[in-house]
Amino acid sequence: MCVCAATLLCVLALSSVASGSVGLSNSSSFCSESKECLQFDLICRTAEYEVRHYSATRWVSTDAEAYFLGVGAAMAFRRLYHYINGDNKEGVKFEMMAPVLVEVPEEVKMWEPAIYTLSFLLPSAYQEHPPTPTNDKLYFSDMADMDVYVRSYGGWMLSITSRVHAHLLTRALIRADAHFNNTHHYAVGYDSPLKLLNRHNEVWFVVEGEPVCEQ
Ligand SMILES: *[C@@H]1O[C@H](CO)[C@@H](O)[C@H](O)[C@H]1NC(C)=O
Ligand SMILES: *[C@@H]1O[C@H](CO)[C@@H](O)[C@H](O)[C@H]1NC(C)=O
């Protein structure tokens, strides 16, 4: 699937990459609450992070001006939640997929609100033709085919924990001389608030250039 060359660069062999990237969740240990999950190919893993390849996928998104996961973010979450529960022109309902993505700008002061983009993954059946939103604050966004650096952590995805893990991942990437888009990271959640144990969250930075795997 992937080749980690002695040069520390990992090269993805495109031949084996599946085209469908939203699929059954049973192939993943941490994406277990929804029927379908966002799928990926693992390029390499170091002690500090993973490198993954994601194919292009479509999401339903909304923006929140908020202190992270504050009131604004909760309202954005509710808009998306209503959409998947039939608040769309076709009256279609579908289960929430995993993960939920929050795009977080890096250059913000903790005490100032900023624009966060929340996105729900569309199930495979609606990737091409998603139900039409009735709320004009919702829009569709296409996540590009991309490689990401991933750091995983347990517990609850709160503003402060997400920032701490983004910071730790940034430090590991700088040490590894890895290039990434440092204008934003993704806070990635897999579990509903009802799950109390073995919770799984991630922070992602988008790879620039060839992904680097530390030895
Ligand atoms: C996941 O489930 C599908 C259908 O139930 C099955 O065909 C497939 O082999 C399963 N995959 C794994 C990795 O268990
Ligand atoms: C980094 O991400 C931002 C926000 O998505 C984007 O506007 C910018 O073009 C990206 N930078 C590069 C070098 O791709």
Side-chain angles (χ1 to χ4, degrees):
M1 237 159 287
C2 71
V3 185
C4 278
T7 58
L8 307 187
L9 293 182
C10 295
V11 180
L12 187 68
L14 292 174
S15 57
S16 61
V17 173
S19 52
S21 45
V22 183
L24 292 170
S25 55
N26 59 353
S27 58
S28 160
S29 60
F30 52 79
C31 190
S32 53
E33 283 192 81
S34 64
K35 233 179 290 162
E36 288 187 334
C37 292
L38 183 64
Q39 299 192 328
F40 61 86
D41 291 301
L42 182 66
I43 297 180
C44 59
R45 181 184 283 130
T46 77
E48 303 271 9
Y49 57 81
E50 280 180 16
V51 184
R52 298 181 187 161
H53 173 259
Y54 285 95
S55 310
T57 41
R58 184 162 295 164
W59 301 65
V60 56
S61 303
T62 190
D63 296 335
E65 190 183 9
Y67 299 94
F68 186 52
L69 298 187
V71 174
M75 280 167 57
F77 191 91
R78 207 168 306 129
R79 283 199 287 276
L80 291 166
Y81 193 77
H82 285 155
Y83 171 79
I84 69 169
N85 277 288
D87 204 350
N88 53 67
K89 289 215 171 104
E90 293 79 3
V92 164
K93 291 185 194 184
F94 56 87
E95 187 186 66
M96 195 167 148
M97 304 284 106
V100 172
L101 285 190
V102 187
E103 190 179 334
V104 182
E106 278 292 296
E107 294 293 321
V108 286
K109 301 188 174 74
M110 293 288 275
W111 55 90
E112 284 179 1
I115 304 291
Y116 298 92
T117 304
L118 273 73
S119 300
F120 278 16
L121 180 62
L122 291 160
S124 54
Y126 296 115
Q127 277 280 309
E128 295 232 359
H129 302 291
T132 316
T134 46
N135 187 327
D136 62 8
K137 292 201 168 97
L138 298 183
Y139 58 93
F140 299 113
S141 51
D142 290 324
M143 188 173 92
D145 182 284
M146 65 183 187
D147 295 335
V148 292
Y149 292 113
V150 180
R151 181 183 166 92
S152 300
Y153 61 98
W156 299 85
M157 189 176 85
L158 303 173
S159 171
I160 192 74
T161 49
S162 173
R163 292 252 175 228
V164 165
H165 287 280
H167 179 68
L168 292 172
L169 179 55
T170 299
R171 278 179 30 189
L173 294 175
I174 289 171
R175 269 200 306 274
D177 205 16
H179 297 278
F180 57 98
N181 189 329
N182 63 3
T183 65
H184 64 278
H185 70 262
Y186 290 100
V188 187
Y190 289 83
D191 298 310
S192 75
L194 299 178
K195 186 175 178 190
L196 299 179
L197 298 175
N198 297 316
R199 297 180 59 82
H200 183 90
N201 315 284
E202 293 167 351
V203 51
W204 295 359
F205 280 105
V206 177
V207 174
E208 283 183 359
E210 287 297 321
V212 175
C213 297
E214 262 179 347
Q215 285 293 49

